[in-house]
Amino acid sequence: MSDSTPRRVRVRAPELVGKGGWLNTGDQRYTLADLRGRIVVLDFWTFCCVNCLHVLDELRELEEKHADTVVVIGVHSPKFVHEAEHAAVADAVERYGVAHPVLDDPELATWKQYAVRAWPTLVVIDPEGYVVAQHAGEGHVHAIERLVTELEAEHGAKGTLRRGDGPYVAPEPEPTVLRFPGKAIVLPGGTFLVSDTTRHQLVELAADGESVVRRIGTGTRGFADGGPDTAAFSEPQGLAPLDDGSVVVADTVNHALRRLDLATGGVTTLAGTGRQWWQGAPTSGPAREVDLSSPWDVALWDGQVWIAMAGVHQLWVYDPEERTVAVAAGTTNEGLVDGPAAEAWFAQPSGLAATPERLWLADSETSALRWVDLDGSVHTAVGTGLFDFGHRDGAAEQALLQHPLGVTALPDGSVAISDTYNHALRRFDPATGEVTTLATDLREPSDAVLVGDDIVVVESARHRLTRLRLPEEAVRVAAVAHRTQRAATEVAAGKLRLDVIFQAPAGQKLDTRYGPSTRLLVSATPPELLLAGEGADTDLVRDLELNPAVEEGVLHVSAMAASCDDDPAVEYPACHVHQQDWGVPVRLTEGGADRLPLVLAGMDEREA
């Protein structure tokens, strides 16, 4: 590095510790010393988190391009109790095609050592074992690649860079008919159409739910229209029959809606560009010209295809007649807020079921069952927020779910809930306001469909459809309640300085061509926690006032910054949006911190 280059803040990287051990390494355990000489990118993730899944997709190109210098290590840091089970982490690593080593850290030991506050967070460690950058949220890989190129040159010149193959060892493929199937529907002839998510295919099964009639898609991740042998999907999920006899498919990682012609097996694209929606992008328009973000499920309701847009915590609609898409409900803020569609907050809506009067939805990150009325208002039947979950039956206002992914309308007006992380099928009856358990000992159920007097469950982590008789008597289970394992941050009552740290990547500057390039939105649960500082503004530093009468709660912080390449010679510089939502559990204590730093991109030099 020349003397004119500013020195990069460097902090010695803490060791990698996790009681769950390592995955994708051929049973080899690694320390940072083993990785010395390589550029290490730690990806703190948890498999429930759609933003974490976006980052997995973003990292693929970086891993391929810099395979001989960069080692990406996923540090799995669970939010839900189920995510602390090692077998569940191993399943998720295969389910989402994670092609790098993963450290299973069920007790959040490494998370705490690196002072991580959000999923996902990326930390870059240089070849000498020092932390040189930290990024929270999505959209940072372009900045990390630029840093990697700098580190390759710097440490290549110093002789401290070691090139070669990485520690990744691919697991052996399993020969099951389905592999982590996502959703299913019953076709007019009595067969099942299943999204075989991890194999990037659709599979038609016979009425027995086991025999393969046909497969649609190449079975390799891609985005291509065509016949059943040439069309390509990327982790397809939701399915819904259309009035013309075709099926609409939520092609989740392609950020698209696809149409399957059942007669020919041909696949075409209905909506989406293949690119992920970012803040500031159009929210309505011709369907093939508007970006989408991780559509997870679809349902035909009130003449339109409703889309559970998990990636941006919203509901969108596709109009089959006009061939347009538009936002229908949600603000993009993550949380549980009822009310008019435009003001409601969702948290990764992942399952939809339509009845004439209501659109039911499984809101996975708030462990909630919710519905939309015909007038567009949003209501919650079960669930209280981002951090409370469990398995508890009884009156809906105190019942608990754990990250449900599916919901199914039943003939009597009640709904069945695929309570995914509880490995259970639950039922909510609007007539009585009661939640009961229909079946247990399922393995990550993600959807269910009615077939006569039976209900057929997509048992995702057992790679099969499971037929159950709808019981007249509900199963009784011992009540369990959980809160997220994340430790609350101890802060002082009264004044608290919120400091969102953003340093534009090297070679870039804040984009101020169209006004302020940053935005900060702050709210709290319960709302009375905040006496001052709530709302939106453009400054990334804000003075909050916390109510001493409220002992604990959650600060919801959403930050956005836009940066562009800083080269006057380039007429149209490349620009990037950096965005992250934090839910920070806080506890008011005497002697607690009076400053809350949240790193969007860069390093908190006051803590370095």
Side-chain angles (χ1 to χ4, degrees), residues 1 23 47 75 119 153 173 187 233 255 272 304 397 409 411-412 473 490 492 496 568:
M1 293 175 69
L23 295 158
F47 64 76
V75 181
W119 297 279
L187 296 178
F233 300 94
H255 310 295
Q304 295 185 308
E397 56 268 20
D412 63 356
E473 294 293 325
E490 295 196 345
L496 176 70

Side-chain angles (χ1 to χ4, degrees), residues 331-420:
T331 64
T332 76
N333 295 316
E334 185 179 16
L336 194 154
V337 177
D338 289 339
E343 300 170 16
W345 291 23
F346 301 98
Q348 260 172 252
S350 301
L352 299 174
T355 67
E357 295 80 26
R358 292 181 178 182
L359 180 72
W360 292 97
L361 67 115
D363 205 27
S364 62
E365 278 293 289
T366 51
S367 298
L369 173 67
R370 306 176 73 185
W371 82 86
V372 183
D373 275 336
L374 288 168
D375 66 3
S377 57
V378 178
H379 310 265
T380 298
V382 183
T384 58
L386 288 164
F387 300 103
D388 292 291
F389 50 89
H391 191 151
R392 187 162 64 199
D393 286 339
E397 56 268 20
Q398 57 86 53
L400 292 171
L401 310 169
Q402 187 180 178
H403 197 80
L405 290 178
V407 60
T408 308
L410 300 179
D412 63 356
S414 66
V415 291
I417 307 152
S418 294
D419 193 5
T420 310

Side-chain angles (χ1 to χ4, degrees), residues 128-202:
E128 294 178 290
Y130 289 91
V131 174
V132 291
Q134 182 170 327
H135 301 266
E138 307 174 48
H140 299 292
V141 171
H142 70 282
I144 290 174
E145 181 165 18
R146 192 182 292 243
L147 176 56
V148 162
T149 304
E150 290 178 10
L151 291 171
E152 286 174 340
E154 175 187 341
H155 289 273
K158 287 173 67 174
T160 49
L161 184 70
R162 178 167 58 88
R163 294 179 180 268
D165 292 334
Y168 170 66
V169 177
E172 289 293 320
E174 297 283 344
T176 52
V177 171
L178 302 172
R179 205 70 195 159
F180 298 104
K183 306 286 186 181
I185 57 173
V186 181
L187 296 178
T191 59
F192 296 94
L193 185 67
V194 185
S195 53
D196 196 12
T197 304
T198 296
R199 294 231 179 94
H200 315 295
Q201 287 183 319
L202 307 180

Side-chain angles (χ1 to χ4, degrees), residues 10 53 58 76 123 142 195 264 317 369 371 403 433 437 481 508 524:
R10 302 202 311 171
L53 304 185
E58 290 177 8
H76 189 268
V123 175
H142 70 282
S195 53
T264 66
V317 289
L369 173 67
W371 82 86
H403 197 80
T437 298
Q508 294 194 343

Side-chain angles (χ1 to χ4, degrees), residues 3-4 18 26 59 101 155 211 250 313 328 336 354 371 407 421 427 506-507 530 548 566 588 598 608:
D3 291 340
S4 62
L59 286 170
H155 289 273
S211 308
H313 317 300
L336 194 154
W371 82 86
V407 60
Y421 289 2
R427 175 178 177 261
L530 270 180
D566 187 11
L588 276 57
L598 299 175

Side-chain angles (χ1 to χ4, degrees), residues 513-584:
R513 291 173 299 163
Y514 306 109
S517 60
T518 55
R519 179 176 180 270
L520 181 64
L521 176 69
V522 181
S523 62
T525 304
E528 50 270 22
L529 172 64
L530 270 180
L531 294 176
E534 186 181 12
D537 204 344
T538 57
D539 195 344
L540 293 181
V541 178
R542 188 177 303 179
D543 288 322
L544 310 180
E545 186 176 353
L546 303 184
N547 186 349
V550 179
E551 294 182 1
E552 59 181 9
V554 179
L555 290 174
H556 302 283
V557 180
S558 178
M560 184 274 288
S563 62
C564 295
D565 290 344
D566 187 11
D567 185 347
V570 177
E571 186 177 359
Y572 299 107
C575 297
H576 304 273
V577 175
H578 315 257
Q579 183 181 353
Q580 173 60 20
D581 295 336
W582 290 268
V584 183

Side-chain angles (χ1 to χ4, degrees), residues 422-454:
N422 279 329
H423 311 301
L425 192 66
R426 312 284 292 283
R427 175 178 177 261
F428 168 68
D429 185 351
T432 64
E434 293 286 312
V435 175
T436 51
T437 298
L438 295 175
T440 57
D441 193 31
L442 301 166
R443 188 71 187 168
E444 292 194 17
S446 54
D447 196 19
V449 291
L450 283 171
V451 182
D453 292 332
D454 295 342

